[in-house]
């Protein structure tokens, strides 16, 4: 009987687990890593980006996002939307074509791959014959023209990818009609460009690499006109009225050609090398767009003078007398222009440029062409991300103040709304306001709105102003000097060059109730900041804290402390620093926490930890955790770096030596020496393969290096000395498996400013297994984690149970252990490493709600292991609940970057510029839910297909209404 | 500590005759075999009868084989009393001039009484060089054992390495490899974890129970199949204080041979033809012969759960190991370390299914109970308790007091 009953309970728990936990990767934030192709559909108002890893991402209005991944691990080289349809075609590096569609499903659209196709040439033909170099999606929406390396144009019917062999335009057909004096001398080379006549869809221009352009009539299947350009062709543009063709060339020139009916040997009408005189780089793409009144816009990328500005990434925009060379900080992938009007044929309104590291949108209708702030695809890595911190459920007041501070920073952005507006965002409004704070290498902290699908930048804080740095603050300002040619203008925010790596932010802690923020950096600096709505000029006093406390035999070989500006500094509205602690030795800060109610900040480095009273601006406690035998920590990080450097140098030397010796012998007896070298290389290779990967099995000893490194700091109001009086306490955990507890005595509130805060050592726990302590949590009498400071005061959390006995949960990399308090004795534990060999990398406390019954919820520990798995561990019984694979084991930086929210979600970096968002909760799920409807096309395509689309549209609407009713 | 040792019926005489020699002096007295008392009482008695109250002593006795064995705790004291037949011959030495080399485990191979004569004839100072003292361990306790011989296939070997209190590194490396297994579909090549290297002088090497190219099958009862090298490494390190690894030895010739349930003692004694492992093979048989009890004590996985206790220091107080909350046994006070003795013990024993090797053990002179517990057949039951006490010993030096 008993067994049966227990079984029943088990299954009940299993059911509950299903209601509480589920794992989903929901959305990718940030900018795609290594974008390789850009596409745009004016009719859908959707933007598509293909990446080198084979992903395809679609973006419309903020919140409208789709993502697809090609099965092939090949780069996407081209993306083309089928005009007036919801399909798009991608061309991959491996010469395969893929058809994607946005299909309605339960009222939402989803991106689906519906077909794939690879051109097959005649038997025996070289692969270059079918290697696709140019793609034209015909406005009929039913044809795809594929230009190849061999110079042929294949015509394929879509969406079925049926080859229309009889309509193919072979190189021979074209060559036959080309004047002999052109064709006789040289090969036409590959098809570089295909363009359709905007006023006559039956005419296409085929541009060959050698320069020849041929206007081809698809109906009559014959060449109408030849344009004999003599320079290597880069791109072709057919003006909107159909009367001119622009061609851009590899020598930095562009030409304009009249499209005439009869005259076969039309002269080029106008040729220009815009940045000429000296040799120029190629103009890779050129666009000309008319305006209602006045001169057209001419836009082209590249064309810079090779010698002086060959390294710039520029797009030139010329409109009547205005001529600007937009200077980007990374390579240009592609660009397009958005046009006004219902049919998207009006004046150009915005230029959208995809560069390697960001997406820049420029407002072409406002004077000076300001940049429009992007609501998504924001480069997270404008400076490399060094840490992140998530704060859930921000009070409205703080939220508004942060936004207000951010708006003052964004005055240089255009006021125009975001011009890409395709699709409808059907996701419900986020239930709460969440902030994600990212710390960067250049000393800035970015505040992101992480409530919804779009990770939107709110505010940017720079800490560099507090310190003297080598860089001249006006470094980036002295541009656009009068009369400079080309007329450069810097655009974009991607700036990977940090002035001083010591400025890098390592730890962040924000108190959402009080608006106090503390950030700590690479050179042992800890800043305490306060939110101020007004600009203020103030001096930040530095307090140097010696963490060594007289420890002997120490020599710090790392970087020096940052120089603090002694004169008052003007801080803009927003978070303004008012206190600064500098650790000595200036090692990187490894743990940081803030208690805004007690007005204390605790910080730790590899040498020890300290407690700072930011009201009285003095240090309360300094504790050195160094182990005298810990040589590595003593000397600083350099010694390790040196050894890597040394080994690198050695290996390079070895390579060079072998090359030199190779060359030396080469003169005498080439064949023999080559053989010898090969044999040696093979032997070396064999040796490398034979030497297996070995792992040493050794018990941890107390003199392992970095045992003193402080991994975690925690404030708690709990029972430290006796079970009847709770006191404030500070807890610190080290890399050597040691936990220090200090009892804090705070003066009464009325004397808080003048009486000192004191800290007394209360307990020290040495974990037997000596694994690094990565987390400390105190659980109240109900087994629930203690609330954050001020949380209870703001009525946002139940006050903790102070009657029952508190428990201490120590999370090491290997075990979860619960101890009783105030007398510390082991109560429960969960061994992680001893059982499955994984180690805790990241841990957080989260609240999980049941998806079925609203009033049930429980706290749990969310754990990320070095295997990349996420676990949920129950509290207070430390039992493993669920386990999901999340990050690849090899992705060390992804695992290191992971941050958990208080509601069971998490973020980790999938590339330097992208956060993946995941959720372990059934209730808190932020994922894109959006609908894209097929445009009602009134153009020249067949009536039947339009009717079909109307039907589909109606069906979609029905479905969405139905689902709404049901909800 | 479990003290219920077996008293042989053939030696049921109630009194044990004791002849104690210190220097040139002899003392004779008797002890009650059934109530021998504790070692420290006995030690006091010896100091009393020899009238040397302030001399630190090293107590040795001659066992049935003529080996000189130490008496330094309750267990070996009881053992000495219980096996005395009928005379118990004691040899006392001043600790500062003690000749550690006289003790030995392998004395069976020598001529009987050579050891004794070595002690009896006081060695003069310019004697020829004493044998190399291998190490200076501080505790006398098991360092490794083969366990669960009766439940494992003969091709496998489950080895327990006791790392605690040992200065010696565990000292081995593991690597990835592939092993061929017989499955229903025939032979199949599967990834496996193998021992790739032994550190000379390491614990793993010194046991002789592990060798290069042995395949690791389990770590502390958890199968390693499907786990990565790094995972297995972490598992081993996490369990390093009490590591139990099940291996499939590359050399299958030295496997433990199980006889078909004949003599109880031979049921689990390792018989080895390998020269490197021979000394314990022989001595274990000898020890087993004197211990007819047979208690099967298979290694339970959860036994390990109780064995790592953290150390907590209260402000102003002394360090104490953290006890499990519901535990009710009392803590022994922290014993002091005494100068180490270095001797190889002859009491290598087989406790039923466990074959334990006390390599290079030493004798703590203070009464840390149970350091040599495995002289008793029932030793394994008390191991968590013992492990904890040991821990309290070794932790003393490493924690910085507040």
């Amino acid at each position: 009987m008993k067994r049966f009953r227990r079984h029943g309970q088990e299954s009940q728990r299993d059911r509950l687990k299903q209601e509480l936990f589920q794992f989903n990767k929901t959305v990718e934030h940030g900018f795609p890593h290594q974008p390789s192709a850009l596409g745009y559909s004016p009719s859908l108002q959707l933007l598509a980006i293909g990446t080198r890893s084979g992903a395809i991402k679609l973006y419309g209005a903020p919140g409208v996002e789709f993502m697809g991944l090609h099965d092939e691990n090949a780069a996407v080289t081209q993306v083309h939307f089928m005009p007036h349809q919801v399909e798009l075609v991608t061309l991959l590096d491996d010469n395969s074509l893929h058809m994607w569609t946005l299909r309605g499903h339960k009222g939402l659209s989803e991106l689906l791959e519906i077909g794939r196709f690879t051109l097959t040439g005649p038997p025996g033909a070289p692969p270059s014959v079918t290697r696709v170099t140019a793609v034209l999606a015909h406005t009929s929406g039913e044809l795809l023209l594929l230009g190849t390396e061999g110079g042929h144009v294949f015509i394929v019917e879509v969406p079925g990818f049926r080859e229309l062999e009889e309509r193919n335009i072979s190189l021979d057909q074209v060559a036959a009609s080309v004047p002999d004096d052109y064709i006789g001398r040289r090969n036409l080379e590959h098809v570089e460009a295909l363009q359709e006549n905007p006023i006559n869809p039956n005419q296409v221009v085929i541009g060959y690499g050698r320069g020849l352009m041929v206007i081809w009539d698809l109906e009559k299947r014959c060449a109408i006109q030849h344009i004999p350009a003599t320079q290597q062709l880069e791109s072709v543009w057919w003006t909107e009225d159909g009367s001119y063709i622009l061609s851009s060339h590899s020598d930095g020139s562009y030409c304009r050609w009249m499209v005439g009916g009869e005259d076969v040997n039309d002269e080029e009408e106008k040729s220009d090398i815009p940045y000429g005189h000296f040799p120029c780089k190629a103009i890779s793409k050129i666009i000309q767009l008319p305006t209602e009144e006045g001169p057209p816009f001419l836009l082209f990328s590249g064309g810079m003078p090779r010698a002086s500005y060959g390294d710039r990434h520029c797009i030139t925009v010329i409109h009547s007398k205005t001529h600007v060379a937009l200077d980007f900080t990374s390579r240009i992938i592609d660009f397009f222009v958005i046009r006004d009007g219902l049919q998207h044929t009006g004046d150009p309104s915005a230029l959208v440029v995809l560069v390697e590291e960001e997406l820049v949108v420029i407002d072409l209708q406002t004077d000076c062409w300001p940049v429009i702030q992007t609501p998504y695809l924001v480069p997270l890595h404008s400076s490399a991300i060094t840490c992140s911190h998530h704060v859930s459920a921000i009070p409205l007041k703080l939220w508004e103040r942060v936004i207000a501070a951010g708006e003052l920073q964004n005055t240089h952005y255009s006021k125009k709304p975001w011009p890409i507006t395709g699709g409808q965002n059907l996701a419900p409004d986020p239930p709460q306001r969440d902030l994600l704070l990212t710390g960067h290498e250049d000393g800035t902290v970015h505040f992101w709105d992480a409530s919804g699908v779009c990770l939107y930048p709110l505010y940017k804080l720079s800490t560099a102003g507090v310190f003297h740095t080598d860089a001249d603050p006006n470094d980036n300002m002295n541009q656009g000097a009068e009369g400079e040619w080309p007329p450069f203008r810097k655009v974009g925010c991607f700036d990977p060059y940090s002035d001083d790596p010591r400025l890098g932010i390592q730890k962040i802690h924000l108190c959402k109730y009080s608006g106090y923020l503390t950030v700590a950096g690479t050179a042992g600096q800890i800043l305490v900041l306060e939110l101020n709505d007004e600009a203020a000029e103030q001096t930040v006093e530095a307090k140097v804290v010696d963490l060594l406390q007289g420890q002997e035999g120490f020599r710090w070989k790392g970087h020096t402390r940052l120089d603090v500006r002694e004169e008052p500094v003007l801080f803009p509205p927003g978070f303004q620093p008012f206190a600064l602690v500098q650790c000595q030795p200036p090692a990187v800060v490894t743990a940081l926490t803030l208690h805004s109610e007690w007005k204390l900040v605790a910080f730790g480095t590899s040498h020890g930890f300290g407690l700072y009273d930011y009201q009285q601006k003095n240090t309360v406690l300094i504790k050195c955790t160094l182990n005298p035998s810990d040589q590595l920590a003593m000397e600083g990080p350099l010694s390790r770096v040196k050894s890597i450097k040394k080994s690198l140098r050695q290996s390079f030397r070895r390579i060079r030596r072998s090359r030199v010796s190779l060359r030396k012998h080469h003169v005498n007896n080439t064949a023999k020496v080559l053989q010898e070298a090969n044999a040696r290389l093979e032997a070396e290779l064999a040796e490398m393969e034979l030497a297996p990967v070995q792992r040493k099995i050794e018990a941890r000893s107390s003199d392992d290096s970095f045992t003193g490194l402080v991994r975690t700091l925690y404030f708690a109001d709990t029972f430290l000395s006796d079970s009847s009086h709770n006191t404030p306490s500070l807890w610190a955990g080290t890399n050597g498996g040691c936990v220090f507890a200090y009892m804090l005595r705070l003066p009464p509130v009325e004397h808080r400013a003048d009486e000192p805060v004191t800290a007394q050592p209360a307990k020290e726990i040495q974990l037997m297994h000596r694994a690094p302590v990565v987390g400390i949590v105190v659980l109240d009498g109900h087994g629930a984690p203690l609330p954050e400071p001020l949380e209870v005061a703001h009525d946002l959390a139940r006050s903790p149970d102070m009657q029952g006995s508190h428990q201490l949960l120590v999370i090491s990399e290997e075990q979860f252990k619960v101890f009783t308090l105030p007398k510390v004795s082991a109560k429960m534990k969960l061994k992680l490493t001893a059982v499955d060999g994984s180690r805790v990398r990241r841990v957080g406390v989260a609240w999980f709600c049941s998806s079925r019954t609203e009033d049930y919820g429980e706290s749990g520990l969310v754990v990320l292991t070095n295997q990349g798995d996420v676990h949920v561990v129950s509290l207070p019984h430390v039992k493993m609940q669920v386990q999901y694979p999340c990050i690849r084991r090899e992705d060390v930086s992804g695992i290191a970057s992971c941050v958990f929210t208080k509601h069971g979600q998490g973020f980790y970096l999938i590339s330097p510029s992208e956060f993946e968002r995941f959720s372990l909760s059934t209730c808190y799920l932020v994922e894109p839910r959006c609908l894209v409807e097929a445009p009602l096309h009134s153009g020249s395509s067949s009536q039947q297909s339009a009717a079909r689309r109307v039907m589909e549209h109606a069906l979609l609407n029905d479905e969405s209404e139905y689902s709404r009713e049901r909800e | 500590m479990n003290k219920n040792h077996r008293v042989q019926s053939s030696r049921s005489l109630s009194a044990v005759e004791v002849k104690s020699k210190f220097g040139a002096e002899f003392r004779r007295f008797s002890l009650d075999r059934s109530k021998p008392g504790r070692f420290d009482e006995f030690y006091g008695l010896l100091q009393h009868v020899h009238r040397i109250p302030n001399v630190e002593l090293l107590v040795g006795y001659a066992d049935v084989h003529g080996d000189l064995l130490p008496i330094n705790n309750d267990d070996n004291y009881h053992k000495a009393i219980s096996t005395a037949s009928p005379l118990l011959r004691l040899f006392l030495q001043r600790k500062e001039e003690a000749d550690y080399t006289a003790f030995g485990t392998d004395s069976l191979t020598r001529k009987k009484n050579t050891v004794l004569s070595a002690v009896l004839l006081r060695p003069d100072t310019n004697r020829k060089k004493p044998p190399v003292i291998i190490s200076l361990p501080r505790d006398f306790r098991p360092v490794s054992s083969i366990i669960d011989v009766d439940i494992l296939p003969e091709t496998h070997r489950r080895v327990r390495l006791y790392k605690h209190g040992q200065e010696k590194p565990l000292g081995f490396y593991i690597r990835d490899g592939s092993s061929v297994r017989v499955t229903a579909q025939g032979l199949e090549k599967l990834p496996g974890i193998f021992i790739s290297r032994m550190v000379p002088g390491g614990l793993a090497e010194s046991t002789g129970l592990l060798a290069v190219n042995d395949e690791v099958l389990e770590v502390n009862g958890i199968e390693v199949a499907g786990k990565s090298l790094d995972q297995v490494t972490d598992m081993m390190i996490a369990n390093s204080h009490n590591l139990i690894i099940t291996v499939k030895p590359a050399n299958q010739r030295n496997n433990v041979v199980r006889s078909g349930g004949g003599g109880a003692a031979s049921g689990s004694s390792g018989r080895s033809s390998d020269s490197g492992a021979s000394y314990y093979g022989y001595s274990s048989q000898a020890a087993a012969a004197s211990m007819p009890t047979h208690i099967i004590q298979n290694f339970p996985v959860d036994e390990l759960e109780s064995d790592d206790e953290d150390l907590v220091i209260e402000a102003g107080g002394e360090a104490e190991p953290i006890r499990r909350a519901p535990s009710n046994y009392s803590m022994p006070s922290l014993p002091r370390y005494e100068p180490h003795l270095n001797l190889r013990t002859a009491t290598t024993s087989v406790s039923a299914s466990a074959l334990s090797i006390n390599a290079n053990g030493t004798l703590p002179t203070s009464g840390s109970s149970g350091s040599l517990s495995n002289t008793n057949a029932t030793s394994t039951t008390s191991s968590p308790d013992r492990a904890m006490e040991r821990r309290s010993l070794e932790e003393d030096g490493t924690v910085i007091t507040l």
Side-chain angles (χ1 to χ4, degrees), chain A residues 234-304:
Chain A
E234 287 287 329
S235 80
V236 172
W237 179 258
W238 207 319
T239 58
E240 200 184 40
D241 56 4
S243 54
Y244 292 100
I245 286 174
L246 293 176
S247 63
S248 73
H249 301 278
S250 61
D251 63 342
S253 68
Y254 69 90
C255 307
R256 190 162 67 156
W257 313 83
M258 171 82 100
V259 178
E262 296 84 37
D263 192 1
V264 178
N265 273 324
D266 204 13
E267 288 297 307
E268 65 187 82
E269 187 170 276
K270 187 192 164 200
S271 174
D272 189 15
I273 304 181
Y275 300 110
H277 306 307
F278 295 109
C280 289
K281 294 192 84 172
I283 292 178
S284 54
K285 181 173 179 177
I286 188 161
I287 285 180
Q288 185 184 322
L289 292 166
T291 52
E292 290 278 333
E293 50 219 42
F297 270 92
L298 180 70
L299 304 101
F300 59 87
S301 63
M304 285 291 131

Side-chain angles (χ1 to χ4, degrees), chain B residues 3 5 31-43 73-75 77-78 81:
Chain B
K3 293 170 187 169
H5 59 278
L31 289 168
D32 189 345
R33 194 191 292 276
S34 56
K35 277 179 272 171
R38 298 212 320 268
F39 170 73
D40 43 358
E41 294 164 6
F42 174 68
Y43 188 77
N73 59 33
D74 285 352
D75 293 300
Y77 168 56
H78 293 156
I81 294 291

Side-chain angles (χ1 to χ4, degrees), chain A residues 694-695 763-764 768 829, chain B residues 196 230 308 310 313-314:
Chain A
Q694 286 194 127
R695 292 286 182 273
K763 286 180 199 305
E764 187 180 326
M768 198 48 231
K829 76 174 154 202
Chain B
S196 61
D230 288 326
D308 57 352
D310 308 311
I313 305 172
E314 300 284 341

Side-chain angles (χ1 to χ4, degrees), chain A residues 812-871:
Chain A
S812 77
E813 279 192 0
E814 301 188 353
Q815 298 185 2
F816 306 83
K817 284 193 101 155
V818 179
F819 299 95
T820 57
L821 281 177
K823 173 140 179 56
V824 176
S825 52
K827 203 172 171 194
M828 269 167 292
K829 76 174 154 202
L830 172 66
K831 285 179 163 187
L832 186 71
T833 311
V835 173
D836 71 357
S838 54
R839 305 170 72 87
V840 178
R841 279 284 172 265
R842 295 273 148 178
V843 67
V845 176
W847 177 256
F848 292 96
C849 291
S850 167
S851 58
R852 206 170 53 88
T853 47
E854 274 184 16
D855 52 345
Y856 184 77
E858 57 181 64
S859 289
L861 278 183
V862 192
V863 179
L864 177 74
T865 70
N866 65 338
Q867 305 294 316
D869 295 347
V870 283
H871 301 257

Side-chain angles (χ1 to χ4, degrees), chain A residues 697-699, chain B residues 161 163 168-172 202-205 236 240 243:
Chain A
I697 307 300
E698 207 44 84
Chain B
L161 298 176
K163 165 69 185 152
K168 253 184 203 178
L170 277 173
F172 65 103
L203 181 59
E205 192 205 36
M236 288 191 178
S240 58
L243 184 61

Side-chain angles (χ1 to χ4, degrees), chain A residues 384-402:
Chain A
I385 294 178
T386 45
C387 69
S388 35
H389 175 70
H390 186 273
V391 192
S392 303
I394 303 289
L396 186 61
K397 186 75 193 141
L398 178 71
W399 188 259
E400 284 171 344
R401 290 175 72 191
V402 169

